[in-house]
Amino acid sequence: VAPSKDIELLSKDLKTFLKNKHFVVEKYLKDPLSYYCSALLVVLPTTYGEGLSRVALESGLLGIPVAAMNNRGISSLFMDGILGEITLDKEPYGMTKIIKKIIDDYSTYSDLSDLTYKNLADKYGDEASTSSVLKILEKLNTQ
């Protein structure tokens, strides 16, 4: 799932190769739930680091393993090693290797969904977020 302009940059040969390997390349939609419902694995091959990867967070909360390129926005989600796998290798082989690792041991990754949900909810849920904001405000008031 990517912006239309990024999909347009893919060569016809690459699109055909991905289709033959059962990869689905779709343009981004505002309601990605249909993609999550059919996904066994989410791959985030980007080095672009948003503040907190919403796709990785949503996938983890839904119990879908994630294979991702390490970047500043995603590394904290993988600190406990329960969301999926990340790679520092920017070459396609690095991503391929962690996808294969997840697929080869899929039951281990899919069995962790309760633990993954609890971990992510504890760190990034409403209560945790509110608590963090209140701590910051308390510090500002004491200065």
Side-chain angles (χ1 to χ4, degrees):
V1 178
S4 297
K5 62 182 171 75
D6 291 347
I7 294 173
E8 291 169 10
L9 295 174
L10 298 176
S11 71
K12 184 179 176 183
D13 289 342
L14 179 56
K15 289 179 186 176
T16 301
F17 173 80
L18 292 171
K19 183 178 179 182
N20 290 339
K21 296 295 181 183
H22 308 289
F23 282 83
V24 177
V25 178
E26 295 283 345
K27 69 178 184 175
Y28 172 79
L29 297 175
K30 290 185 180 188
D31 181 19
L33 190 57
S34 61
Y35 296 122
Y36 289 128
C37 289
S38 63
L40 296 175
L41 170 71
V42 170
V43 179
L44 301 172
T46 182
T47 57
Y48 171 75
E50 57 187 309
L52 178 66
S53 174
R54 181 175 170 182
V55 173
L57 186 58
E58 290 169 344
S59 300
L61 288 168
L62 293 168
I64 304 167
V66 177
M69 181 71 63
N70 190 30
N71 62 55
R72 66 181 169 81
I74 204 160
S75 58
S76 64
L77 291 174
F78 287 82
M79 287 175 64
D80 300 328
I82 60 174
L83 183 59
E85 296 291 335
I86 56 175
T87 181
L88 294 169
D89 190 348
K90 292 184 171 126
E91 296 300 319
Y93 176 72
M95 186 60 68
T96 303
K97 195 164 84 172
I98 62 171
I99 292 170
K100 182 173 179 358
K101 181 178 179 180
I102 292 171
I103 290 170
D104 287 348
D105 195 16
Y106 191 78
S107 63
T108 298
Y109 291 93
S110 60
D111 286 344
L112 292 173
S113 61
D114 290 343
L115 181 57
T116 302
Y117 180 86
K118 181 179 178 348
N119 182 51
L120 293 175
D122 287 349
K123 288 182 179 176
Y124 304 105
D126 289 342
E127 188 176 326
S129 297
T130 302
S131 178
S132 294
V133 170
L134 290 175
K135 285 179 185 176
I136 292 168
L137 292 174
E138 285 174 8
K139 284 184 180 181
L140 290 174
N141 284 334
T142 60
Q143 293 178 352

